[in-house]
Amino acid sequence: MSREAFTLTFPASWRRADLRNDSSVECERLARAAFDGLPDRDSRDVASARRRYREALMTAVTRARAVDALDLYFFAGASRTGIGPMSLMSLVVRAGPQECDPARALLRLGLPPSSLGTLDDAEIAWSRCVQRVSRSVHEWNGVLHDAFGLDATSVEAGRTSASVSQGTVHYATDIRDAPGVFLILSGSTLGTSLLGAQIAHLDSIVRTFSWTD
């Protein structure tokens, strides 16, 4: 599945990580872009916040590279008044031609059935799951490997124990003409308690999804 097979529309302050670049270089670029517009960008507080944000980016980039994600986007939020930083990752999983229900793809990630639902008012049929979770990159890779056999065993990912997020929302839909193959969009918070506002924001982005071929 190519990157051009679908589109998503992102509001301002979202930035795409180039997963082909060195992780540390890319995270530094994104962190500077997120904070350099502040009038006090060189202050001690902003420098500390930028460092924490860069560390959160590194965790998400490591996770995305380890599972061969299609794309990874970050939201930095407005100047200390926004709803908080978050990420959205896209990846393809293959559950087998006998499975045709996107909800089952989410269940294979170990998500409780009671947390599953659908994304309302969307052109594409999405199964959706919201949860509060704290998993390391290494633990997340193990979940994907057990569920779908994904080879997510990079040395970099295996060594880190950093927490991925405080809240996540997963969306799954089937890929046309590919039985048992699903597209998963995985949104994660990066250090805020305003999960409801963040999930609503992510929902609005996923509703813009469309296939392009």
Side-chain angles (χ1 to χ4, degrees):
M1 183 173 183
S2 67
R3 295 181 188 273
E4 293 75 25
F6 64 87
T7 62
L8 288 164
T9 301
F10 289 87
S13 296
W14 280 88
R15 296 174 176 84
R16 177 178 174 271
D18 191 338
L19 298 176
R20 299 168 299 178
N21 289 345
D22 176 82
S23 296
S24 59
V25 172
E26 186 64 7
C27 290
E28 178 64 23
R29 180 187 72 82
L30 290 166
R32 288 191 176 279
F35 286 85
D36 278 358
L38 298 181
D40 54 348
R41 64 182 183 181
D42 295 324
S43 70
R44 179 178 299 177
D45 288 345
V46 172
S48 177
R50 185 172 61 229
R51 183 177 62 255
R52 292 194 302 270
Y53 182 62
R54 184 177 63 244
E55 292 171 353
L57 295 181
M58 179 63 77
T59 299
V61 167
T62 298
R63 169 188 169 193
R65 288 167 66 98
V67 301
D68 195 24
L70 299 177
D71 275 307
L72 178 64
Y73 293 87
F74 293 103
F75 174 72
S79 174
R80 290 190 289 262
T81 61
I83 59 177
M86 61 185 119
S87 67
L88 184 66
M89 176 178 69
S90 63
L91 70 154
V92 169
V93 298
R94 293 166 174 81
Q98 73 281 1
E99 291 194 17
C100 58
D101 184 0
R104 291 184 62 83
L106 295 181
L107 289 174
R108 293 184 70 165
L109 294 176
L111 305 175
S114 60
S115 69
L116 296 182
T118 59
L119 180 62
D120 298 330
D121 304 320
E123 295 293 328
I124 304 295
W126 292 96
S127 293
R128 175 178 173 274
C129 174
V130 178
Q131 64 175 171
R132 296 179 183 273
V133 66
S134 182
R135 278 200 178 113
S136 70
V137 173
H138 181 64
E139 290 169 333
W140 173 255
N141 290 341
V143 169
L144 289 176
H145 182 272
D146 292 343
F148 302 106
L150 292 182
D151 184 15
T153 55
S154 72
V155 173
E156 183 180 14
R159 287 178 178 170
T160 185
S161 59
S163 177
V164 170
S165 64
Q166 284 70 53
T168 62
V169 55
H170 304 287
Y171 311 84
T173 191
D174 58 302
I175 296 177
R176 300 170 302 175
D177 303 321
V181 183
F182 303 96
L183 176 69
I184 289 182
L185 302 180
S186 179
S188 296
T189 69
L190 299 177
T192 182
S193 61
L194 299 177
L195 183 59
Q198 290 183 305
I199 297 308
H201 188 68
L202 289 167
D203 284 350
S204 68
I205 292 173
V206 175
R207 289 191 183 98
T208 72
F209 178 97
S210 64
W211 298 108
T212 57
D213 54 33

